[in-house]
Structures are given as structure tokens and as C-alpha cells.
């Protein structure tokens, strides 16, 4: 069944809601569209504000062939197939949703066709194109910034939904709008999906005639119980990444790959996932398995080079490895303890023997005097004070109870048992 958001998708610029700075009467993009001569462009803005709709309206207004690709599940092969098809057409428009997910090789594959005019590229992105689109491609495109919908535009969306249902014989009364506004967060698609969900839940199935009253309590209750989509910009985004991290921390690879799959299915930025695993490798594994950080960093690099859809395999490999690894937050807690000391005691002076002495004056002042160069001593170890006056003997690092850190504990005991109590 066709979703309400698709049914109500505007078909013309006059029907289009918002972005009047671009498509209002006399605005820059509208003028170009009406001239019939548009450049390749990047539409940059948050989700659900009409980027795809605008691209579709442009193609329909200009009556040009229109091809679409999603960067989540398309690669160089699909791009080349569209370009080959476009070479047989006149004035083809290629729309690429979430173009920031294309890696360098995928974006490079577009350059020749854009330069030759084989295609007019319209890319949509929620990320800053200055960072996510390669310079060679960005220089050949105009960047247009789309603004998030305000309450006025979202109110128009609600009115259109009410009018549509009235034509279907369903009387929808939106008594209170605050919950719908809050749930949608400026995303028109999410707003219409929420309204549709409440109506369908109330009436049993779409097409049934009747009356539906929507207030804040009703909207919140129904949507929280039934809305199962992944919102990469809202609360569920944080809930699912939290579940992912906690599954790895809890050494459950099955939970980890499930929540990873949820994020992938929802179109989460793979670099966001890889970045969180990179943090996790130090925060929750640390010295228990230093190789975890190496693998997480290699995964981040691989994801940067490969992109969706193949990089999901790298993400899965890393997530399972991190989940199955020994865990320790000892180095994380050591830093937290040291930061607490800094906050409490302030900027204590560096002991003179630890200071560098690059000038004669500094040497005369005692800088570096008495410093013991560890490599000149047996076992590359020399006992001396490394903490500032007032913090002598403070113990910030407590090794975790695992094979690698137990070995570290033995070494620390040998060197520092009488000073730090290891």
C-alpha cells in the first residue's frame, strides 16, 4: 500500500512546501529551472525536507529522463550502467540519494559524464559536501542548502494530511500538534508517517471510514508502541548505538551484529559506526588486548575507502572481534582519575628534573638537573619521581584482571611496589 508521504509528495514547484529562498518566485533555483538550463547540483540539508521531491519536480518540469540511485546499495557498476543508458538519452538527470556515502572511486566514476554533459547530476546529502564530496566533483556542481522545516511548514503538512483523509471519507481532527511536531523533529516524511500510523491504528486498516482525534497523549502512545523504524537523527539513533556498544561490552557477538544490522538497514553512516568501535577499542578493551585498537583503526580506514554496501562486512568482522575480546576499562579510568586530580589540584608545577633545558639559562636554573635517562640503567628502568610535588605516590592506573594486564601488574609491582603499592 502506498505510504501517505508518497501520496502527498508535491508534483510541482507551486505545490512544494518550504525552501522559498531557492524555489520561491524569482529565487535562484526556480529561475534556473524555468530557464530550462540547470547545472549539476548538490542539495544539502537534514532528512525529510524535500530533497528527493525537489529533484523529481525538476525532472518532471523539464520533461527530462530521470534515473535514481541510492548510495547505500549502489556502486561503480550501477553508476556506469546508468551513464551508458544516459548516453542514449537527451538531457538525462541522475539523482543520487545520500551521495556522501559514495567513496572516492564511486564519485570519480561520475566525473567524466558530468564534464561531458552526458548527465546532469543532482546529489542529495545530509552531510557537509565540503568534507564528503571529492573536490573535483564538488567544483562541477552548485551547492544549494535546504533548511529544516519550521512549525509553519509542518503545520501545512498536517493540514494536507487532514484534507487527504477527508477526501477518503475519514474525518481526522488534530486537536493537539505538539507531540507530532516533537516526534517528527522537522522531518516531513516522519510527520506524515506518524499521522498515518495513528489513523491506521485507530481505524483498524486503511480505507475504513470514521473519525480520528489526535492529541498529544494519543500520538505519543501509538507511535511509541508501533513505530519500529530506525531514525538516525533522533532518539532511536542513540538507543540503538547504545544497545550496540553495550552488547560488545557485554561480550555478546550476537547482540552486537543484530544492532549493527539494524543500523545498516536504517542507513546509518558507516563511518559513525566505525568511529564508535574505534572509541570502544580503547575505552572498553584497552590494554587487555591492544590489537583491538589496531583492528578498529584498520576497519575505520577500510570503511573510508570502500563505502556501502561492501563495508558492512568489515564492520561485522570488527564488531564480532571486539565483542569476543577480553575487556578492561583500566586505562580509561586511569585518565578519569588523573583528570580528577588535575581539576582538584590545578596546574601543579613540573618538577625541575623533568623539565627540558634547551638554553644555558635553563640549565643554570636547574632544569633537567638530576634527571635519570632510563635507557642508561639496567632493565631500562631508573627510580625517580614523575609526579608533581603534592601528588607523590598517587595511583591513577589500576590494571584490569586479565592475562595481559596481570602481566603488567607483576611488572609494576617489581618496579613500584613501595611507591604506588602495586
Amino acid at each position: 500500500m502506498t505510504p501517505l508521504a508518497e501520496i502527498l509528495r508535491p508534483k510541482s514547484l507551486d505545490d512544494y512546501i518550504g525552501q522559498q529562498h531557492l524555489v520561491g518566485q524569482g529565487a535562484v533555483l526556480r529561475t534556473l529551472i524555468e530557464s530550462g538550463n540547470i547545472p549539476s547540483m548538490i542539495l544539502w540539508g537534514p532528512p525529510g525536507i524535500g530533497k528527493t521531491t525537489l529533484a523529481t519536480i525538476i525532472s518532471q518540469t523539464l520533461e527530462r529522463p530521470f534515473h535514481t540511485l541510492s548510495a547505500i546499495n549502489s556502486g561503480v557498476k550501477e553508476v556506469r550502467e546508468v551513464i551508458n543508458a544516459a548516453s542514449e538519452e537527451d538531457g538525462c538527470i541522475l539523482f543520487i540519494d545520500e551521495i556522501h556515502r559514495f567513496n572516492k572511486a564511486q564519485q570519480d566514476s561520475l566525473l567524466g559524464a558530468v564534464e561531458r554533459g552526458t548527465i546532469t547530476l543532482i546529489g542529495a546529502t545530509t552531510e557537509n559536501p565540503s568534507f564528503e564530496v571529492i573536490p573535483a566533483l564538488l567544483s562541477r556542481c552548485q551547492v544549494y542548502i535546504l533548511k529544516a522545516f519550521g512549525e509553519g511548514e509542518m503545520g501545512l503538512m498536517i493540514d494536507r494530511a487532514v484534507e487527504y483523509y477527508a477526501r477518503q471519507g475519514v474525518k481526522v481532527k488534530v486537536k493537539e500538534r505538539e507531540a507530532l511536531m516533537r516526534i517528527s523533529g522537522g522531518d516531513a516524511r516522519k510527520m506524515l508517517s506518524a499521522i498515518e500510523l495513528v489513523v491506521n491504528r485507530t481505524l483498524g486498516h486503511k480505507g475504513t471510514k470514521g473519525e480520528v482525534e489526535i492529541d498529544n497523549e494519543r500520538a505519543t502512545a501509538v507511535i511509541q508502541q508501533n513505530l519500529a523504524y530506525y531514525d538516525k537523527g533522533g532518539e532511536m539513533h542513540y538507543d540503538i548505538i547504545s544497545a550496540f556498544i553495550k552488547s560488545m561490552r557485554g561480550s555478546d557477538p550476537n547482540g552486537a551484529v543484530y544492532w549493527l544490522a539494524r543500523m545498516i538497514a536504517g542507513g546509518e553512516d558507516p563511518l559513525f559506526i566505525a568511529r564508535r568501535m574505534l572509541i570502544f577499542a580503547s575505552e572498553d578493551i584497552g590494554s587487555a588486548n591492544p590489537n583491538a585498537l589496531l583492528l578498529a583503526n584498520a576497519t575505520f580506514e577500510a570503511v573510508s575507502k570502500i563505502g556501502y554496501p561492501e563495508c558492512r562486512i568489515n564492520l561485522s568482522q570488527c564488531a564480532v572481534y571486539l565483542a569476543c575480546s577480553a575487556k578492561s576499562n583500566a586505562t580509561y579510568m586511569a585518565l578519569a582519575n588523573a583528570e580528577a586530580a588535575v581539576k582538584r589540584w590545578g596546574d601543579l608545577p613540573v618538577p625541575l628534573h623533568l623539565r627540558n633545558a634547551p638554553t644555558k639559562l635553563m640549565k643554570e636554573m636547574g632544569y633537567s638537573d638530576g634527571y635519570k635517562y632510563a635507557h642508561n640503567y639496567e632493565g631500562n628502568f631508573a627510580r625517580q619521581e614523575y609526579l608533581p610535588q603534592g601528588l607523590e605516590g598517587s595511583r591513577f592506573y589500576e590494571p584490569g584482571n586479565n592475562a595481559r594486564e596481570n602481566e603488567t601488574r607483576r611488572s609494576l609491582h617489581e618496579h613500584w611496589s613501595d611507591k604506588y603499592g602495586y
Side-chain angles (χ1 to χ4, degrees):
M1 190 172 292
T2 305
L4 179 63
E6 188 61 34
I7 293 172
L8 297 183
R9 187 184 294 275
K11 302 297 191 295
S12 69
L13 289 177
D14 291 333
D15 198 33
Y16 190 77
I17 292 177
Q19 318 309 332
Q20 293 303 296
H21 63 296
L22 296 177
V23 298
Q25 292 294 336
V28 55
L29 186 51
R30 186 179 189 122
T31 300
L32 288 171
I33 296 169
E34 291 174 345
S35 74
N37 186 23
I38 62 165
S40 288
M41 68 185 75
I42 304 293
L43 303 177
W44 172 27
I49 57 167
K51 296 185 292 293
T52 302
T53 298
L54 182 54
T56 304
I57 289 173
I58 290 173
S59 71
Q60 292 174 345
T61 302
L62 300 180
E63 297 182 342
R64 292 195 190 180
F66 188 63
H67 297 273
T68 64
L69 291 176
S70 171
I72 292 178
N73 49 31
S74 301
V76 173
K77 176 177 176 289
E78 288 75 17
V79 171
R80 288 175 177 164
E81 288 176 351
V82 170
I83 290 174
N84 289 336
S87 63
E88 305 296 325
E89 301 170 329
D90 184 28
C92 173
I93 293 175
L94 171 59
F95 174 70
I96 299 181
D97 194 18
E98 301 195 75
I99 193 170
H100 59 275
R101 298 189 188 278
F102 266 1
N103 60 29
K104 183 178 184 300
Q106 291 167 321
Q107 293 186 33
D108 279 338
S109 67
L110 296 164
L111 279 175
V114 172
E115 285 181 334
R116 295 190 301 270
T118 305
I119 61 170
T120 296
L121 173 67
I122 302 180
T125 179
T126 57
E127 305 296 329
N128 189 331
S130 297
F131 302 126
E132 305 295 343
V133 179
I134 61 173
L137 185 59
L138 191 61
S139 67
R140 291 161 175 80
C141 298
Q142 292 292 319
V143 176
Y144 297 111
I145 302 174
L146 280 70
K147 300 176 181 179
F149 288 138
E151 288 192 10
E153 289 92 352
M154 298 301 284
L156 289 175
M157 297 286 179
I158 294 174
D159 294 341
R160 287 191 179 182
V162 170
E163 291 169 4
Y164 166 76
Y165 279 116
R167 294 194 297 271
Q168 310 307 309
V170 178
K171 184 178 180 181
V172 177
K173 181 180 180 181
V174 181
K175 187 177 179 181
E176 296 174 317
R177 299 187 172 197
E178 290 82 0
L180 288 174
M181 296 285 189
R182 183 181 67 252
I183 290 163
S184 62
D187 185 325
R189 182 170 50 249
K190 194 186 302 181
M191 164 75 80
L192 295 174
S193 296
I195 293 173
E196 183 177 30
L197 184 60
V198 175
V199 170
N200 291 349
R201 177 73 171 176
T202 303
L203 297 181
H205 62 86
K206 197 167 184 179
T208 302
K209 291 178 170 45
E211 295 186 6
V212 177
E213 184 174 281
I214 301 176
D215 57 18
N216 292 337
E217 182 179 359
R218 177 65 176 162
T220 301
V222 171
I223 292 167
Q224 285 182 347
Q225 291 173 11
N226 295 276
L227 207 55
Y229 60 75
Y230 176 82
D231 168 25
K232 59 185 176 182
E235 183 177 348
M236 191 172 290
H237 161 82
Y238 298 104
D239 289 343
I240 289 185
I241 193 64
S242 174
F244 176 61
I245 295 297
K246 288 174 180 174
S247 297
M248 292 191 296
R249 182 180 297 141
S251 300
D252 183 356
N254 299 297
V257 294
Y258 170 78
W259 296 116
L260 173 62
R262 284 284 296 275
M263 288 188 285
I264 290 172
E268 180 59 84
D269 183 352
L271 285 175
F272 169 77
I273 302 172
R275 191 177 297 114
R276 291 306 299 264
M277 290 197 291
L278 194 52
I279 297 168
F280 178 90
S282 287
E283 181 178 347
D284 288 282
I285 295 177
S287 296
N289 179 10
N291 286 331
L293 179 60
L294 301 179
L295 179 63
N297 189 58
T299 300
F300 186 88
E301 291 295 323
V303 169
S304 301
K305 295 173 182 176
I306 295 172
Y308 271 144
E310 291 84 356
C311 75
R312 72 191 197 286
I313 304 169
N314 307 112
L315 294 171
S316 178
Q317 178 187 355
C318 187
V320 170
Y321 182 89
L322 298 182
C324 294
S325 174
K327 305 295 190 301
S328 171
N329 70 342
T331 54
Y332 173 77
M333 293 306 301
L335 178 60
N337 294 335
E339 287 175 334
V342 171
K343 184 176 181 180
R344 180 179 181 185
W345 300 107
D347 298 330
L348 297 176
V350 177
L352 286 177
H353 69 284
L354 295 182
R355 300 187 190 188
N356 195 23
T359 69
K360 180 180 178 182
L361 177 61
M362 289 178 173
K363 291 178 182 178
E364 292 174 350
M365 293 174 64
Y367 282 32
S368 198
D369 187 28
Y371 171 66
K372 298 177 182 178
Y373 185 60
H375 297 294
N376 289 339
Y377 294 82
E378 184 179 355
N380 304 104
F381 175 77
R383 290 186 59 82
Q384 60 190 320
E385 184 58 63
Y386 291 100
L387 287 172
Q389 186 176 1
L391 287 182
E392 301 95 332
S394 297
R395 178 165 152 179
F396 303 120
Y397 173 55
E398 181 65 43
N401 185 19
N402 55 77
R404 189 176 293 273
E405 286 189 289
N406 283 335
E407 181 62 32
T408 300
R409 187 189 302 275
R410 285 189 286 271
S411 175
L412 290 170
H413 177 76
E414 179 183 344
H415 292 144
W416 298 110
S417 60
D418 58 338
K419 180 174 175 58
Y420 295 115
Y422 286 110

